[in-house]
Coordinates of all heavy atoms in Angstrom, one line a residue:
Q1024 N 13.9 93.7 158.9 CA 15.3 94.0 158.9 C 15.8 94.1 157.5 O 16.9 94.7 157.3 CB 16.1 93.0 159.7 CG 15.7 93.0 161.2 CD 16.5 91.9 161.9 OE1 17.2 91.1 161.4 NE2 16.2 91.8 163.2
D1025 N 15.1 93.5 156.5 CA 15.5 93.6 155.1 C 14.7 94.7 154.5 O 13.7 94.4 153.9 CB 15.3 92.2 154.5 CG 15.7 92.2 153.0 OD1 16.1 93.3 152.5 OD2 15.6 91.1 152.4
L1026 N 15.3 95.9 154.5 CA 14.5 97.1 154.0 C 14.2 97.0 152.5 O 13.1 97.4 152.1 CB 15.3 98.3 154.3 CG 14.6 99.7 154.1 CD1 13.3 99.7 154.9 CD2 15.5 100.8 154.5
T1027 N 15.1 96.4 151.7 CA 14.9 96.3 150.3 C 13.7 95.4 150.0 O 12.8 95.8 149.2 CB 16.1 95.8 149.6 OG1 17.2 96.7 149.8 CG2 15.9 95.7 148.1
S1028 N 13.6 94.3 150.6 CA 12.5 93.4 150.4 C 11.2 94.0 151.0 O 10.1 93.8 150.4 CB 12.7 92.0 151.1 OG 13.8 91.4 150.5
A1029 N 11.3 94.7 152.1 CA 10.1 95.3 152.7 C 9.5 96.4 151.7 O 8.3 96.5 151.5 CB 10.4 96.0 154.0
E1030 N 10.4 97.2 151.1 CA 10.0 98.2 150.2 C 9.3 97.6 148.9 O 8.3 98.1 148.4 CB 11.1 99.1 149.8 CG 11.6 100.0 150.9 CD 12.9 100.7 150.7 OE1 13.6 100.4 149.7 OE2 13.2 101.7 151.4
K1031 N 9.9 96.5 148.4 CA 9.3 95.8 147.3 C 7.9 95.2 147.6 O 6.9 95.3 146.9 CB 10.2 94.6 146.8 CG 11.4 95.1 146.1 CD 12.3 93.9 145.7 CE 13.6 94.3 145.1 NZ 14.4 93.1 144.8
L1032 N 7.8 94.7 148.8 CA 6.5 94.1 149.3 C 5.5 95.3 149.4 O 4.3 95.1 149.0 CB 6.7 93.4 150.6 CG 5.5 92.7 151.2 CD1 5.0 91.6 150.2 CD2 5.8 92.1 152.5
N1033 N 5.9 96.4 150.0 CA 5.0 97.5 150.2 C 4.5 98.0 148.8 O 3.4 98.4 148.6 CB 5.6 98.6 151.0 CG 4.7 99.8 151.2 OD1 5.0 100.9 150.8 ND2 3.5 99.5 151.8
A1034 N 5.4 98.1 147.9 CA 5.1 98.6 146.5 C 4.0 97.7 145.9 O 3.1 98.1 145.3 CB 6.3 98.6 145.6
L1035 N 4.1 96.3 146.1 CA 3.0 95.4 145.6 C 1.7 95.7 146.3 O 0.7 95.7 145.6 CB 3.5 94.0 145.9 CG 4.6 93.4 145.0 CD1 5.0 92.0 145.5 CD2 4.1 93.3 143.6
F1036 N 1.7 96.0 147.6 CA 0.5 96.3 148.3 C -0.2 97.5 147.7 O -1.4 97.6 147.4 CB 0.7 96.5 149.8 CG 1.2 95.3 150.5 CD1 2.0 95.5 151.7 CD2 0.8 94.0 150.2 CE1 2.4 94.4 152.4 CE2 1.3 92.9 150.9 CZ 2.1 93.1 152.0
D1037 N 0.6 98.6 147.5 CA 0.1 99.8 147.0 C -0.3 99.7 145.5 O -1.4 100.2 145.2 CB 1.2 100.9 147.1 CG 1.4 101.4 148.5 OD1 0.7 101.0 149.4 OD2 2.4 102.2 148.7
E1038 N 0.4 99.0 144.7 CA 0.1 98.8 143.3 C -1.2 98.1 143.1 O -2.0 98.3 142.2 CB 1.2 98.1 142.5 CG 2.4 98.9 142.3 CD 3.6 98.1 141.8 OE1 3.4 97.0 141.3 OE2 4.7 98.6 142.0
N1039 N -1.5 97.1 144.1 CA -2.7 96.3 143.9 C -3.8 96.7 144.8 O -4.8 96.0 145.0 CB -2.3 94.8 144.2 CG -1.4 94.3 143.1 OD1 -1.9 93.9 142.1 ND2 -0.1 94.2 143.3
N1040 N -3.7 98.0 145.3 CA -4.8 98.6 146.1 C -5.3 97.7 147.3 O -6.5 97.5 147.5 CB -6.0 98.9 145.2 CG -5.5 100.0 144.2 OD1 -4.9 101.0 144.5 ND2 -5.8 99.7 142.9
V1041 N -4.3 97.1 148.0 CA -4.7 96.4 149.2 C -5.4 97.3 150.2 O -5.0 98.4 150.4 CB -3.4 95.8 149.9 CG1 -3.7 95.1 151.2 CG2 -2.8 94.7 148.9
T1042 N -6.6 96.9 150.6 CA -7.4 97.7 151.4 C -7.2 97.6 152.9 O -7.6 98.5 153.7 CB -8.9 97.5 151.2 OG1 -9.2 96.1 151.4 CG2 -9.3 97.9 149.7
M1043 N -6.6 96.5 153.4 CA -6.2 96.4 154.8 C -5.2 95.2 154.9 O -5.3 94.2 154.3 CB -7.4 96.0 155.6 CG -7.1 95.9 157.1 SD -6.4 97.4 157.9 CE -7.9 98.4 158.1
L1044 N -4.2 95.5 155.7 CA -3.1 94.5 155.9 C -3.2 94.1 157.4 O -3.1 95.0 158.3 CB -1.8 95.1 155.6 CG -0.5 94.2 155.8 CD1 -0.6 93.1 154.8 CD2 0.7 95.1 155.5
F1045 N -3.5 92.9 157.7 CA -3.6 92.4 159.1 C -2.3 91.6 159.4 O -1.9 90.7 158.6 CB -4.8 91.4 159.3 CG -6.1 92.1 159.2 CD1 -6.8 92.1 158.0 CD2 -6.7 92.7 160.3 CE1 -8.0 92.7 157.9 CE2 -7.9 93.3 160.2 CZ -8.6 93.3 159.0
T1046 N -1.6 92.0 160.4 CA -0.4 91.4 160.8 C -0.4 91.0 162.3 O -1.2 91.5 163.0 CB 0.8 92.3 160.5 OG1 0.8 93.4 161.3 CG2 0.8 92.7 159.0
S1047 N 0.7 90.3 162.7 CA 0.8 90.0 164.1 C 2.3 89.8 164.4 O 3.1 90.3 163.7 CB 0.0 88.7 164.4 OG -0.1 88.5 165.8
H1048 N 2.5 89.0 165.4 CA 3.8 88.7 166.0 C 4.3 89.7 167.0 O 4.8 89.3 168.0 CB 4.9 88.4 164.9 CG 6.2 87.9 165.6 ND1 6.2 86.6 166.0 CD2 7.3 88.5 165.9 CE1 7.4 86.4 166.6 NE2 8.1 87.5 166.6
V1049 N 4.1 91.0 166.7 CA 4.4 92.0 167.7 C 3.4 91.9 168.8 O 2.2 91.9 168.5 CB 4.5 93.4 167.1 CG1 4.6 94.4 168.2 CG2 5.6 93.5 166.1
H1050 N 3.8 91.7 170.0 CA 2.8 91.5 171.1 C 2.3 92.8 171.6 O 2.7 93.5 172.5 CB 3.5 90.8 172.3 CG 4.0 89.4 171.9 ND1 4.8 88.7 172.7 CD2 3.9 88.7 170.7 CE1 5.2 87.6 172.0 NE2 4.6 87.6 170.8
G1051 N 1.2 93.3 170.9 CA 0.6 94.6 171.2 C -0.4 94.9 170.0 O -0.7 94.1 169.2
Y1052 N -0.9 96.2 170.1 CA -1.9 96.6 169.1 C -1.4 97.9 168.5 O -1.1 98.9 169.2 CB -3.2 96.9 169.7 CG -4.2 97.5 168.8 CD1 -4.8 96.8 167.8 CD2 -4.5 98.9 168.9 CE1 -5.7 97.4 166.9 CE2 -5.4 99.5 168.0 CZ -6.0 98.7 167.0 OH -6.9 99.3 166.1
F1053 N -1.3 98.0 167.2 CA -0.9 99.2 166.4 C -1.7 99.3 165.2 O -2.1 98.3 164.6 CB 0.6 99.1 166.1 CG 1.5 99.0 167.2 CD1 1.8 97.7 167.8 CD2 2.0 100.1 167.8 CE1 2.6 97.6 168.9 CE2 2.9 100.0 168.9 CZ 3.1 98.7 169.4
K1054 N -2.0 100.5 164.7 CA -2.6 100.7 163.4 C -2.0 101.9 162.8 O -1.5 102.8 163.4 CB -4.1 100.9 163.6 CG -4.6 102.2 164.2 CD -6.1 102.2 164.2 CE -6.6 103.6 164.0 NZ -8.1 103.7 163.9
G1055 N -2.1 101.9 161.5 CA -1.5 103.0 160.7 C -1.5 102.7 159.2 O -2.4 102.0 158.8
A1056 N -0.7 103.4 158.5 CA -0.6 103.1 157.0 C 0.9 102.9 156.7 O 1.8 103.6 157.2 CB -1.1 104.3 156.3
W1057 N 1.1 102.0 155.8 CA 2.4 101.7 155.3 C 2.4 102.0 153.8 O 1.7 101.4 153.0 CB 2.8 100.2 155.5 CG 4.2 99.8 155.2 CD1 5.3 100.6 155.2 CD2 4.6 98.5 154.8 NE1 6.4 99.9 154.8 CE2 6.0 98.6 154.6 CE3 3.9 97.3 154.6 CZ2 6.7 97.5 154.2 CZ3 4.7 96.2 154.3 CH2 6.1 96.3 154.1
G1058 N 2.9 103.2 153.4 CA 2.7 103.7 152.1 C 1.2 104.2 152.1 O 0.8 104.9 153.0
K1059 N 0.5 103.7 151.1 CA -1.0 104.0 151.1 C -1.8 102.9 151.7 O -3.0 102.9 151.7 CB -1.4 104.5 149.8 CG -1.4 103.4 148.7 CD -2.0 103.9 147.4 CE -2.2 102.8 146.4 NZ -2.7 103.2 145.1
T1060 N -1.2 101.8 152.1 CA -1.9 100.6 152.6 C -2.1 100.7 154.1 O -1.2 100.7 154.9 CB -1.1 99.3 152.3 OG1 -0.8 99.3 150.9 CG2 -1.8 98.1 152.7
P1061 N -3.4 100.7 154.6 CA -3.7 100.7 156.0 C -3.3 99.3 156.6 O -3.4 98.3 155.9 CB -5.1 100.9 156.1 CG -5.7 100.6 154.8 CD -4.6 100.7 153.8
Y1062 N -2.9 99.3 157.9 CA -2.5 98.1 158.5 C -3.0 98.0 160.0 O -3.2 99.1 160.6 CB -1.0 97.8 158.5 CG -0.2 98.7 159.3 CD1 0.0 98.4 160.7 CD2 0.4 99.9 158.8 CE1 0.7 99.3 161.5 CE2 1.1 100.7 159.6 CZ 1.3 100.4 161.0 OH 2.0 101.3 161.8
L1063 N -3.2 96.8 160.5 CA -3.4 96.6 161.9 C -2.5 95.5 162.4 O -2.3 94.5 161.7 CB -4.9 96.1 162.1 CG -6.0 97.1 161.9 CD1 -7.3 96.3 162.0 CD2 -5.9 98.1 163.0
V1064 N -1.8 95.8 163.5 CA -1.0 94.8 164.1 C -1.8 94.3 165.4 O -2.1 95.2 166.2 CB 0.4 95.3 164.5 CG1 1.2 94.3 165.3 CG2 1.2 95.8 163.3
S1065 N -2.1 93.1 165.5 CA -2.8 92.6 166.6 C -2.1 91.3 167.2 O -2.1 90.3 166.6 CB -4.3 92.2 166.2 OG -5.0 91.7 167.3
G1066 N -1.6 91.5 168.4 CA -0.9 90.4 169.0 C -1.1 90.5 170.5 O -0.2 90.4 171.3
G1067 N -2.3 90.6 170.9 CA -2.6 90.8 172.4 C -3.5 89.7 172.9 O -4.4 90.0 173.7
A1068 N -3.3 88.5 172.5 CA -4.3 87.4 172.9 C -3.8 86.6 174.0 O -4.4 85.6 174.3 CB -4.6 86.6 171.7
G1069 N -2.8 87.0 174.7 CA -2.5 86.2 175.9 C -1.1 86.0 176.3 O -0.8 85.4 177.4
I1070 N -0.1 86.4 175.6 CA 1.3 86.3 176.0 C 1.8 87.6 176.5 O 1.1 88.6 176.5 CB 2.1 85.7 174.8 CG1 3.4 85.2 175.3 CG2 2.3 86.8 173.7 CD1 4.1 84.2 174.2
Y1071 N 3.0 87.6 177.0 CA 3.6 88.8 177.6 C 3.7 89.9 176.5 O 3.8 89.6 175.3 CB 5.0 88.5 178.2 CG 6.0 88.0 177.2 CD1 6.8 89.0 176.5 CD2 6.1 86.7 176.9 CE1 7.7 88.5 175.5 CE2 7.0 86.3 175.9 CZ 7.8 87.2 175.2 OH 8.7 86.8 174.3
F1072 N 3.8 91.1 176.9 CA 3.9 92.2 176.0 C 5.3 92.7 175.9 O 6.1 92.6 176.8 CB 3.0 93.4 176.4 CG 1.5 93.0 176.3 CD1 0.7 93.1 177.5 CD2 0.9 92.7 175.2 CE1 -0.6 92.7 177.4 CE2 -0.4 92.3 175.1 CZ -1.2 92.4 176.2
H1073 N 5.6 93.4 174.8 CA 7.0 93.9 174.6 C 7.1 95.3 175.1 O 8.1 96.0 174.9 CB 7.3 93.9 173.1 CG 7.6 92.5 172.6 ND1 8.6 91.7 173.0 CD2 6.9 91.8 171.6 CE1 8.5 90.5 172.4 NE2 7.5 90.6 171.5
G1074 N 6.0 95.9 175.7 CA 6.1 97.3 176.2 C 5.0 97.4 177.2 O 4.3 96.5 177.6
N1075 N 4.9 98.7 177.7 CA 3.9 98.9 178.8 C 2.9 100.1 178.5 O 2.2 100.4 179.4 CB 4.5 99.0 180.1 CG 5.6 100.1 180.2 OD1 5.6 100.9 179.3 ND2 6.4 100.1 181.2
D1076 N 3.0 100.7 177.3 CA 2.1 101.8 177.0 C 0.7 101.2 176.9 O 0.4 100.4 176.0 CB 2.6 102.4 175.7 CG 1.7 103.6 175.2 OD1 0.6 103.8 175.8 OD2 2.1 104.3 174.3
P1077 N -0.3 101.6 177.7 CA -1.6 101.1 177.6 C -2.4 101.3 176.4 O -3.4 100.7 176.1 CB -2.3 101.7 178.9 CG -1.5 102.9 179.2 CD -0.1 102.7 178.7
E1078 N -1.9 102.3 175.6 CA -2.5 102.5 174.3 C -2.2 101.4 173.3 O -3.0 101.2 172.3 CB -2.0 103.9 173.7 CG -2.7 104.2 172.4 CD -2.2 105.6 171.8 OE1 -1.6 106.4 172.5 OE2 -2.5 105.8 170.6
H1079 N -1.1 100.7 173.5 CA -0.7 99.7 172.5 C -0.6 98.3 173.1 O -0.6 97.3 172.4 CB 0.7 100.1 171.9 CG 0.6 101.3 171.2 ND1 0.0 101.4 169.9 CD2 1.1 102.6 171.5 CE1 0.1 102.7 169.5 NE2 0.8 103.4 170.4
Y1080 N -0.4 98.2 174.4 CA -0.2 96.9 175.0 C -1.3 96.5 176.0 O -1.3 97.0 177.1 CB 1.2 96.9 175.7 CG 2.3 97.2 174.8 CD1 2.9 98.5 174.7 CD2 2.7 96.2 173.9 CE1 3.9 98.7 173.8 CE2 3.8 96.5 173.0 CZ 4.3 97.8 173.0 OH 5.3 98.0 172.1
F1081 N -2.3 95.8 175.5 CA -3.4 95.3 176.3 C -4.0 94.1 175.6 O -3.8 93.8 174.4 CB -4.5 96.4 176.3 CG -5.0 96.9 174.9 CD1 -6.0 96.3 174.3 CD2 -4.3 98.0 174.3 CE1 -6.4 96.8 173.0 CE2 -4.7 98.4 173.1 CZ -5.8 97.8 172.4
Y1082 N -4.6 93.2 176.4 CA -5.2 92.0 175.9 C -6.4 92.3 175.0 O -7.3 93.1 175.4 CB -5.6 91.1 177.0 CG -4.4 90.6 177.8 CD1 -4.1 91.0 179.1 CD2 -3.5 89.7 177.1 CE1 -3.0 90.5 179.7 CE2 -2.3 89.3 177.8 CZ -2.1 89.7 179.1 OH -1.0 89.2 179.7
H1083 N -6.5 91.7 173.9 CA -7.6 92.1 172.9 C -7.7 91.0 171.8 O -6.8 90.2 171.7 CB -7.3 93.4 172.3 CG -6.1 93.4 171.4 ND1 -4.8 93.5 171.8 CD2 -6.0 93.3 170.0 CE1 -4.0 93.4 170.8 NE2 -4.7 93.3 169.7
Y1084 N -8.7 91.2 171.0 CA -8.8 90.5 169.8 C -9.6 91.4 168.8 O -10.2 92.4 169.2 CB -9.5 89.1 169.9 CG -10.9 89.1 170.4 CD1 -12.0 89.1 169.5 CD2 -11.2 89.1 171.8 CE1 -13.3 89.2 170.0 CE2 -12.5 89.1 172.2 CZ -13.5 89.1 171.3 OH -14.8 89.2 171.8
L1085 N -9.6 91.0 167.5 CA -10.3 91.8 166.5 C -11.5 91.1 166.0 O -11.4 89.9 165.8 CB -9.3 92.1 165.3 CG -8.1 92.9 165.6 CD1 -7.3 93.0 164.3 CD2 -8.3 94.2 166.2
K1086 N -12.6 91.8 165.9 CA -13.8 91.3 165.2 C -13.9 92.0 163.9 O -14.1 93.2 163.8 CB -15.0 91.6 166.1 CG -16.3 91.0 165.5 CD -17.5 91.3 166.4 CE -18.7 90.8 165.8 NZ -19.9 91.1 166.7
V1087 N -13.8 91.2 162.8 CA -13.7 91.8 161.5 C -14.9 91.3 160.7 O -15.3 90.1 160.7 CB -12.4 91.3 160.8 CG1 -12.3 91.8 159.3 CG2 -11.2 91.7 161.6
S1088 N -15.5 92.2 160.0 CA -16.6 91.9 159.1 C -16.3 92.5 157.7 O -15.9 93.6 157.5 CB -17.9 92.6 159.6 OG -18.3 92.2 160.8
V1089 N -16.5 91.6 156.7 CA -16.3 92.0 155.3 C -17.6 91.8 154.5 O -18.2 90.8 154.6 CB -15.1 91.2 154.6 CG1 -14.9 91.6 153.2 CG2 -13.9 91.3 155.4
S1090 N -18.0 92.9 153.8 CA -19.3 92.8 153.1 C -19.1 93.6 151.8 O -18.1 94.2 151.6 CB -20.4 93.3 153.9 OG -20.3 94.7 154.1
N1091 N -20.2 93.7 151.0 CA -20.2 94.5 149.8 C -20.0 96.0 150.2 O -19.5 96.8 149.3 CB -21.5 94.4 149.1 CG -21.6 93.0 148.4 OD1 -20.6 92.3 148.2 ND2 -22.8 92.6 148.2
K1092 N -20.3 96.4 151.4 CA -20.1 97.8 151.8 C -18.7 98.1 152.2 O -18.3 99.2 152.4 CB -21.0 98.1 153.0 CG -22.5 98.0 152.7 CD -23.3 98.2 153.9 CE -24.8 98.0 153.6 NZ -25.6 98.2 154.8
G1093 N -17.9 97.1 152.4 CA -16.5 97.3 152.7 C -16.1 96.5 154.0 O -16.7 95.5 154.3
L1094 N -15.0 96.9 154.6 CA -14.5 96.2 155.7 C -14.7 97.0 157.0 O -14.6 98.3 157.0 CB -12.9 96.1 155.5 CG -12.2 95.4 156.7 CD1 -11.4 94.3 156.2 CD2 -11.3 96.4 157.4
E1095 N -15.1 96.4 158.0 CA -15.3 97.0 159.3 C -14.6 96.1 160.4 O -14.6 94.9 160.2 CB -16.8 97.1 159.7 CG -17.6 98.0 158.8 CD -19.1 98.1 159.2 OE1 -19.4 97.6 160.2 OE2 -19.8 98.7 158.4
Y1096 N -14.1 96.8 161.4 CA -13.5 96.0 162.5 C -13.7 96.7 163.8 O -13.9 97.9 163.9 CB -12.0 95.8 162.2 CG -11.2 97.0 162.4 CD1 -10.6 97.4 163.6 CD2 -11.0 97.9 161.3 CE1 -9.8 98.5 163.7 CE2 -10.2 99.0 161.4 CZ -9.7 99.3 162.6 OH -8.9 100.5 162.8
Q1097 N -13.7 95.9 164.9 CA -13.7 96.3 166.2 C -12.6 95.7 167.0 O -12.2 94.6 166.8 CB -15.0 95.9 166.9 CG -16.3 96.5 166.4 CD -17.4 95.9 167.2 OE1 -17.9 94.8 166.9 NE2 -17.9 96.6 168.2
V1098 N -12.0 96.5 167.8 CA -11.0 96.0 168.8 C -11.7 95.7 170.1 O -12.3 96.6 170.7 CB -9.9 97.1 169.0 CG1 -8.8 96.5 170.0 CG2 -9.2 97.5 167.7
I1099 N -11.7 94.4 170.4 CA -12.4 94.0 171.6 C -11.3 93.8 172.7 O -10.5 92.9 172.6 CB -13.1 92.7 171.4 CG1 -14.0 92.7 170.2 CG2 -13.9 92.3 172.7 CD1 -15.1 93.7 170.2
K1100 N -11.4 94.7 173.8 CA -10.5 94.5 174.9 C -10.9 93.4 175.8 O -12.1 93.2 176.1 CB -10.4 95.8 175.7 CG -9.7 96.9 174.9 CD -9.5 98.1 175.8 CE -8.7 99.2 175.1 NZ -8.4 100.3 175.9
V1101 N -10.0 92.6 176.3 CA -10.3 91.6 177.2 C -9.7 92.0 178.6 O -8.5 92.3 178.7 CB -9.6 90.2 176.8 CG1 -9.8 89.1 177.8 CG2 -10.1 89.9 175.4
E1102 N -10.6 92.1 179.5 CA -10.1 92.6 180.9 C -9.7 91.4 181.7 O -10.1 90.3 181.7 CB -11.3 93.3 181.5 CG -11.7 94.5 180.7 CD -10.6 95.6 180.6 OE1 -9.9 95.8 181.5 OE2 -10.6 96.2 179.5

């Protein structure tokens, strides 16, 4: 809701070449880029969802691996 602070934060991510931003609180799954910083929103571990689009609102968790080759992740759906 504070756009000025959000823009300052995003500028820091971009300036420091953040390679992935993991976030939560939104009850669903989203991915994209904020400026040049890629992000994942993961909040599908067991509470009610804020929407019903099956592309974004499903039970899941992320499996993340970080190595010298870079970052890899999988979205694991929980049925």
Side-chain angles (χ1 to χ4, degrees):
Q1024 294 178 0
D1025 181 355
L1026 190 55
T1027 301
S1028 292
E1030 289 170 346
K1031 288 179 183 178
L1032 187 59
N1033 182 241
L1035 286 173
F1036 296 151
D1037 287 352
E1038 289 169 18
N1039 290 284
N1040 299 311
V1041 171
T1042 57
M1043 181 62 78
L1044 182 64
F1045 292 95
T1046 68
S1047 190
H1048 187 74
V1049 174
H1050 302 171
Y1052 172 77
F1053 300 87
K1054 73 179 213 175
W1057 187 26
K1059 68 178 189 178
T1060 304
Y1062 71 84
L1063 289 171
V1064 176
S1065 177
I1070 198 162
Y1071 63 89
F1072 295 118
H1073 291 296
N1075 57 15
D1076 178 350
E1078 182 179 347
H1079 298 288
Y1080 301 101
F1081 54 91
Y1082 293 111
H1083 69 280
Y1084 62 93
L1085 300 178
K1086 182 178 178 182
V1087 179
S1088 299
V1089 180
S1090 70
N1091 291 338
K1092 296 178 184 178
L1094 178 128
E1095 295 180 7
Y1096 70 91
Q1097 290 177 282
V1098 180
I1099 310 295
K1100 289 187 177 184
V1101 178
E1102 301 295 325

